Amino acid sequence: MNISAILLFFVSLLSFSCSYRTETVNKSAKTAATTCRIGFYNTENLFDIYDDKHSNDNDFLPLGKLKWTADRYDVKLKHIKEVIDGLNDLSTLALIGMSEVENKEVLEDLLKNDTTFQIIHYNSSDRRGIDVCLLYNPAYFTPLTSYLSSFDKSNDPELFLREVLVVKGVLWNDTVHVLVNHWPSRREGEEKSETKRIAAAMLTQEIIDSIIQVNPSNNILLMGDFNDQPSDKSMSVMLNLKTTKKGKDGELINPFKALQEAGEGTCKYKHDWFLFDQILISNSISNKKGFQFTDAEIYHPEWLYYKNDLKSGPFRSYLGNTYYGGYSDHFPVYIELKK
């Protein structure tokens, strides 16, 4: 191969690499710990107090409808950090995906005095300006690539779905693909909005299929606020979920289905609990010799309940326009892995 051909090859390779929005981080020494946690948390509108002209954040301004002042913002940051610290029991929290964060700046404010975690975040096209993100502990996880996977609107220009954050990295010594989701809400009613969540499930399944097509044994962690429960159609049918440890490597296991069946939930509407926040794993994680799944839990210590009453719901920041000064209207969830 002559010099010109070699140069052309590397230029083509560079062009291909730049076609994706990626982050690369130098590999770091992995911790000697043999267990870790993977978490997810809907933070309930973690907004700063500044006007973003590219999104509708007017309610979350000091003079806005919700009177979102610097003091309230500081309380919110303090509370979300307390939850992260609680999940990081014995320094085992390797990854935590979050939804309803406004931008990277709020995450930097959140971690201002914390050097444990690094941030993966991209600005989404959400009209309200709420994004998903992934925080990772470099002692456990080394990110290789990351990007937002968007929805093709050509078939339905009126349908809006939030992008999925896709992160490929090395957890301990094994490659894993992490998908962070926030599916459409039920604000219009469960039945009326169901088709949107099914569309989101199809988008997510396309991403999973593309990962499995490269290698059927690829490890996948699918997390998010799905606004549907494990038993709902979008989760049980569109994602073809399995609830046992048998099956092909690429199939997904939903360990939170058992918690739903036991009556547990991550958010509460009137008197009913709903388990919208979940972390799913590929069968490969259960079948392999590397890290393995051991447990799935909802993180709900007494102080995360309104008035410390276990019969109440999550201690939230707002109910309608009324400021409560709490944490979030969702409980976080986590799974535990061992190697």
Side-chain angles (χ1 to χ4, degrees), residues 56-75:
N56 182 15
D57 65 348
N58 293 336
D59 289 347
F60 287 91
L61 297 174
L63 298 179
K65 181 172 66 175
L66 299 177
K67 298 180 175 58
W68 190 239
T69 63
D71 286 343
R72 291 184 176 184
Y73 177 51
D74 288 343
V75 168

Side-chain angles (χ1 to χ4, degrees), residues 44 60 65-68 71-73 75-76 79 268 303-309 312-329:
E44 188 200 349
F60 287 91
K65 181 172 66 175
L66 299 177
K67 298 180 175 58
W68 190 239
D71 286 343
R72 291 184 176 184
Y73 177 51
V75 168
K76 182 75 171 183
H79 281 168
K268 197 171 189 179
W303 49 269
L304 270 182
Y305 287 83
Y306 178 60
K307 295 185 178 180
N308 293 336
D309 180 2
S312 69
F315 185 16
R316 55 199 299 161
S317 294
Y318 281 89
L319 179 58
N321 296 336
T322 303
Y323 179 65
Y324 277 51
Y327 297 79
S328 171
D329 54 353

Side-chain angles (χ1 to χ4, degrees), residues 64-108:
K65 181 172 66 175
L66 299 177
K67 298 180 175 58
W68 190 239
T69 63
D71 286 343
R72 291 184 176 184
Y73 177 51
D74 288 343
V75 168
K76 182 75 171 183
L77 291 173
K78 177 177 177 291
H79 281 168
I80 300 301
K81 186 59 169 60
E82 287 175 359
V83 174
I84 292 175
D85 289 344
L87 286 166
N88 193 26
D89 183 43
L90 300 177
S91 300
T92 57
L93 186 61
L95 299 167
I96 179 166
M98 300 196 298
S99 65
E100 296 198 14
V101 299
E102 184 181 15
N103 49 45
K104 189 173 184 179
E105 286 70 27
V106 301
L107 298 171
E108 291 171 341

Side-chain angles (χ1 to χ4, degrees), residues 128-289:
R128 288 181 53 213
I130 55 173
D131 304 335
V132 296
C133 72
L134 185 70
L135 306 183
Y136 67 93
N137 183 342
Y140 290 90
F141 184 78
T142 301
L144 302 175
T145 62
S146 60
Y147 62 94
L148 290 181
S149 182
S150 59
F151 176 68
D152 182 3
K153 299 179 64 174
S154 59
N155 294 327
D156 190 350
E158 300 301 318
L159 177 62
F160 172 77
L161 298 175
R162 298 182 186 92
E163 295 92 341
V164 179
L165 174 61
V166 183
V167 180
K168 177 183 178 182
V170 178
L171 179 63
W172 281 312
N173 294 314
D174 292 314
T175 301
V176 62
H177 301 258
V178 185
L179 281 63
V180 188
N181 294 256
H182 188 187
W183 289 4
S185 75
R186 298 186 173 194
R187 188 173 292 108
E188 302 171 8
E190 179 183 351
E191 292 185 5
K192 187 175 181 180
S193 59
E194 181 184 53
T195 56
K196 295 181 180 180
R197 288 186 295 281
I198 290 176
M202 294 175 67
L203 165 63
T204 307
Q205 186 64 61
E206 288 176 4
I207 300 170
I208 293 170
D209 288 344
S210 67
I211 295 170
I212 296 302
Q213 187 174 9
V214 174
N215 183 349
S217 296
N218 274 334
N219 302 308
I220 298 173
L221 294 169
L222 172 63
M223 64 175 67
D225 173 4
F226 299 101
N227 275 299
D228 265 340
Q229 303 198 85
S231 60
D232 287 322
K233 185 176 181 180
S234 65
M235 302 295 292
S236 62
V237 177
M238 300 310 300
L239 290 178
N240 298 314
L241 302 184
K242 306 295 182 183
T243 56
T244 69
K245 294 186 177 181
K246 298 178 180 179
K248 299 177 181 178
D249 283 348
E251 291 178 342
L252 295 176
I253 301 169
N254 191 344
F256 286 86
K257 186 171 184 180
L259 296 181
Q260 181 200 355
E261 292 172 347
E264 298 191 46
T266 56
C267 53
K268 197 171 189 179
Y269 180 68
K270 295 184 177 178
H271 301 291
D272 297 323
W273 283 101
F274 295 89
L275 212 165
F276 289 163
D277 307 271
Q278 302 153 54
I279 302 173
L280 291 72
I281 60 174
S282 59
N283 239 332
S284 57
I285 294 176
S286 292
N287 296 336
K288 64 194 296 303
K289 294 182 179 179

